[in-house]
Amino acid sequence: MFSLINFLTNISPLSDDAIADITARVKVIDLPRQRTVLRAGAVCHYLYFVNSGLLRLFYYRNGKDITDYFATEQSFIGGIDSFFSRVPSRKQIETLEASQLLALSFTDMNLLLDRHHDFERVARLLSVQAFLSMQERLYALQFHPAKQRYDDLVTANPTLLQRVPLGFIASFLGVTQVTLSRIRGQR
Amino acid sequence: MFSLINFLTNISPLSDDAIADITARVKVIDLPRQRTVLRAGAVCHYLYFVNSGLLRLFYYRNGKDITDYFATEQSFIGGIDSFFSRVPSRKQIETLEASQLLALSFTDMNLLLDRHHDFERVARLLSVQAFLSMQERLYALQFHPAKQRYDDLVTANPTLLQRVPLGFIASFLGVTQVTLSRIRGQR
DNA sequence: CGAAAATTTGATCGAAGTCAATCATTGTGG
DNA sequence: CCACAATGATTGACTTCGATCAAATTTTCG
């Protein structure tokens, strides 16, 4: 729990009042591996902070499983569009390893955002960060060949490769698993 | 000026106090076409709202001019990463048509964000929107062939094609102008 | 151990890139 | 106001990266 508060205050300071209020509302959830956290077609009611473990966000396109995002320790995951707009999520979330999540419901989130300007500040800064990292990802997809995207991912997250099947990595990088297999073969 | 207030309050309500404060700080800037608004290498000190006209955000990659974003009427434009992190911008902004901009400086922005929780709320919601639209763009780049991305752009913004050179559209869509020329040729 | 899943390897295909030439448009100076 | 240079758009020939289809091999796990 402290890890979340620590993470948030690192982005922008929070009053004791806000911290107490957040702490009171966050639910701790322990899950084994391979557990669905959000099912496609359901509205996403929670935003999750990964205290420990590993999850992925994914969806199906033409019957193929496409990984959109990996959430490692100390990061957030959720069906963001569904969470904020209250429409059914096209995407699913599942644990890839046993994980401990800190969950904040939509209603609690709004309550915290209303009550605490400093919390809204943190949320704003996180959103801008998310926007900028999507920009980077778009740029990489447009200009970096598959091999470089793979190398960059391995550099940024060396353990990931050992922790998840190749196919998940491949679709996350925007290539087929066949292509990714060839890419790493040469070297 | 009212157009900006209208745009912002449409996202989330603002107090009269906040509205007055914003109005007092926004500068109106009239520019002819083909005018550089932000130069690469400079820190972006302003965030702009396009009251009228058309601008683009672009950068050079291997000597090639890459358009990143078109800002039509009633939208925002800025070197966001530079604006918030105060580092020199890699990207440039220029007017493509005579434009009227409403500019908010970094210092004024922070002042408004500090003073008005409701303004920070609007900024947060805008950031989330920006994040989600980048997601869509990433998805389109990954899965929609160039022809479809082109058709979708034309549908979403029918006038754009007449207003800007093909090369700008092409790099924005993530193809060469040669390819885009072929795409529209067939039909 | 053996079935199912994951990965690798091979052969072929296709969308888009590159290089290069031609054609069209625009805009400016004599 | 026309001519011509500069810029923008099209077309052609060829290449390349990654996709697809298919089979073989390896790994995982009940």
Side-chain angles (χ1 to χ4, degrees), chain A residues 1 4 8 17-29 44-48 83-84 86 102-117 119-120 123, chain B residues 117 121 124:
Chain A
M1 176 63 76
L4 170 61
L8 297 178
D17 187 23
I19 291 174
D21 216 358
I22 295 165
T23 307
R25 290 187 156 71
V26 164
K27 296 187 203 23
V28 179
I29 302 176
C44 179
H45 292 295
Y46 291 90
L47 196 66
Y48 303 95
F83 183 77
F84 284 116
R86 320 310 296 151
L102 304 180
L104 188 59
S105 74
F106 179 69
T107 43
D108 283 334
M109 167 72 87
N110 282 322
L111 205 142
L112 290 170
L113 288 169
D114 269 345
R115 281 203 196 151
H116 307 284
H117 184 170
F119 183 70
E120 181 115 40
Chain B
H117 185 170
R121 162 86 33 102
R124 196 252 309 166

Side-chain angles (χ1 to χ4, degrees), chain B residues 121-138:
Chain B
R121 162 86 33 102
V122 170
R124 196 252 309 166
L125 290 167
L126 276 170
S127 305
V128 171
Q129 270 183 25
F131 165 74
L132 292 175
S133 73
M134 282 307 282
Q135 276 213 157
E136 299 260 307
R137 208 171 137 190
L138 185 80

Side-chain angles (χ1 to χ4, degrees), chain A residues 17-75:
Chain A
D17 187 23
I19 291 174
D21 216 358
I22 295 165
T23 307
R25 290 187 156 71
V26 164
K27 296 187 203 23
V28 179
I29 302 176
D30 282 287
L31 292 173
R33 73 192 289 270
Q34 220 122 350
R35 184 63 61 95
T36 296
V37 175
L38 170 66
R39 200 168 297 281
V43 170
C44 179
H45 292 295
Y46 291 90
L47 196 66
Y48 303 95
F49 179 77
V50 183
N51 213 8
S52 68
L54 178 65
L55 298 87
R56 73 178 182 120
L57 186 65
F58 68 105
Y59 54 90
Y60 291 98
R61 176 185 160 77
N62 298 340
K64 267 178 293 222
D65 174 320
I66 309 290
T67 297
D68 191 48
Y69 173 67
F70 294 106
T72 51
E73 293 186 6
Q74 309 294 307
S75 63

Side-chain angles (χ1 to χ4, degrees), chain B residues 54-71:
Chain B
L54 179 64
L55 297 89
R56 72 179 184 122
L57 186 65
F58 67 104
Y59 54 91
Y60 291 98
R61 176 185 160 78
N62 300 339
K64 268 177 292 222
D65 174 319
I66 310 290
T67 297
D68 193 46
Y69 173 67
F70 294 105

